[in-house]
Amino acid sequence: MYQVIFSDVDGTLLNQNHQVTPLTQKALHQLMERNIPFVVVSARSPSGIFPILKDYQLKASIIAYNGALVMDQQRHILAEKGMVTTTALQVLKELETFDVAWCVYSFDQWFVKSRHDERILREESIVKAQSLEATLEDLQTLSTVHKILCICHSSDIFTIKQHLQQAFPQCTIVRSSDILIEIVDLGINKAKAVQKLCQLWHIPLKNVVAFGDQYNDLDMLMEVGYGWAMGNAPVDIQKKVGRVTQDNNHDGIYHALKSLDKKEEHGM
């Protein structure tokens, strides 16, 4: 029935304590035993994903930066597409007019304005990776920028997102939480990265399962044959996707895969 599993990380694979629950671990290890590929699809950088795979002994290809960078289990780059550095610098200058903390990602490098900003310290603790301080002048030497992350106040997120969308139509701008805005090159999204990987593996999209909980997951969940919204996803996402599993604190991935396996056993 299904040949590959794609999963978002924060709010989906990880619970509110940023851990993989025991039952979800069990489900993922069973996938490995059955030689069904598991792919992590995240707005995170590769270095923000690798510790999860190591901690829980998971073998997985990764789609990082909402689809801008695709890597196999051996960490070889299969596909990548970043924004022009001059465009990225223009975005950053615009962000400087708001009360935000910005992050710039190029391949597996993570640059910030100040590592002492409490918002950056919190992000480092969550993803278990360290950032590097850089000025806008320092960033001019980057060959490409795969993602800009804007960490802002929840009360400002709609205004900032709307402003950026009007100012930078050449970028894809999505909300990934109540305080996070992800900015990548136009046309980059999780769905297209999933399509790319499935083409390389000769797997039809109708045989694909995907899990997610946020607006940057929606295109992926709508694209595959078995898209599941987590129970903690916003209600409008749940309604659009149709399939809803338990939340990330209550083994949502495990329960969804268990229900799919039961249907397969009964030939449904």
Side-chain angles (χ1 to χ4, degrees):
M1 181 183 290
Y2 59 90
Q3 295 177 268
V4 60
I5 310 295
F6 292 86
S7 176
D8 169 54
V9 173
D10 298 288
T12 302
L13 178 63
L14 303 182
N15 64 13
Q16 64 182 10
N17 298 318
H18 310 293
Q19 298 171 337
V20 181
T21 61
L23 281 180
T24 296
Q25 289 181 55
K26 177 182 177 181
L28 298 180
H29 283 283
Q30 287 175 341
L31 289 178
M32 289 191 292
E33 291 171 4
R34 294 162 60 186
N35 292 316
I36 296 175
F38 175 62
V39 184
V40 172
V41 191
S42 179
R44 290 190 182 205
S45 66
S47 59
I49 297 172
F50 293 145
I52 300 169
L53 304 182
K54 181 180 179 182
D55 289 348
Y56 297 99
Q57 299 179 316
L58 299 174
K59 293 180 180 179
S61 298
I62 69 169
I63 294 173
Y65 305 134
N66 282 331
L69 184 63
V70 183
M71 304 175 74
D72 64 16
Q73 288 186 20
Q74 288 71 44
R75 305 189 182 184
H76 299 137
I77 296 175
L78 301 179
E80 62 91 14
K81 185 175 184 288
M83 71 176 78
V84 179
T85 303
T86 52
T87 299
L89 291 171
Q90 290 171 358
V91 173
L92 293 174
K93 288 177 181 176
E94 202 69 29
L95 288 175
E96 294 273 86
T97 64
F98 296 97
D99 179 16
V100 304
W102 53 255
C103 304
V104 171
Y105 303 86
S106 179
F107 292 96
D108 204 19
Q109 292 182 301
W110 174 16
F111 301 99
V112 300
K113 184 176 181 178
S114 171
R115 287 194 65 210
H116 300 291
D117 189 311
E118 63 180 20
R119 294 166 291 192
I120 299 300
L121 292 172
R122 178 179 179 274
E123 187 70 11
E124 286 187 339
S125 69
I126 291 172
V127 301
K128 299 180 181 178
Q130 285 193 346
S131 60
L132 300 168
E133 287 191 351
T135 65
L136 297 186
E137 289 73 24
D138 295 332
L139 299 175
Q140 290 178 4
T141 61
L142 296 178
S143 60
T144 188
V145 171
H146 288 99
K147 189 188 79 167
I148 295 172
L149 174 67
C150 170
I151 308 175
C152 58
H153 299 291
S154 58
S155 58
D156 298 331
I157 193 164
F158 178 77
T159 300
I160 296 172
K161 180 175 179 286
Q162 189 176 46
H163 179 83
L164 292 174
Q165 285 177 322
Q166 291 174 349
F168 300 100
Q170 68 271 47
C171 297
T172 296
I173 301 166
V174 294
R175 197 179 94 190
S176 59
S177 83
D178 289 339
I179 60 168
L180 300 179
I181 298 172
E182 317 276 348
I183 306 154
V184 294
D185 196 44
L186 187 64
I188 294 294
N189 59 52
K190 292 185 177 183
K192 288 187 178 178
V194 167
Q195 290 173 1
K196 177 68 175 178
L197 205 47
C198 287
Q199 287 172 359
L200 290 173
W201 290 347
H202 305 290
I203 295 175
L205 289 171
K206 67 178 183 178
N207 294 342
V208 173
V209 177
F211 297 97
D213 74 303
Q214 273 297 339
Y215 294 95
N216 62 328
D217 300 313
L218 186 56
D219 53 6
M220 171 179 71
L221 300 180
M222 301 296 288
E223 184 71 20
V224 303
Y226 301 93
W228 289 82
M230 303 298 288
N232 49 291
V235 174
D236 55 336
I237 290 179
Q238 294 185 26
K239 289 180 178 178
K240 288 177 182 177
V241 175
R243 291 185 187 85
V244 181
T245 185
Q246 299 292 319
D247 64 43
N248 61 324
N249 292 325
H250 296 91
D251 314 295
I253 291 176
Y254 167 83
H255 288 295
L257 293 178
K258 186 176 180 181
S259 70
L260 285 174
D261 288 337
K262 282 185 178 180
K263 288 182 179 179
E264 191 170 4
E265 288 175 8
H266 292 88
M268 295 175 66

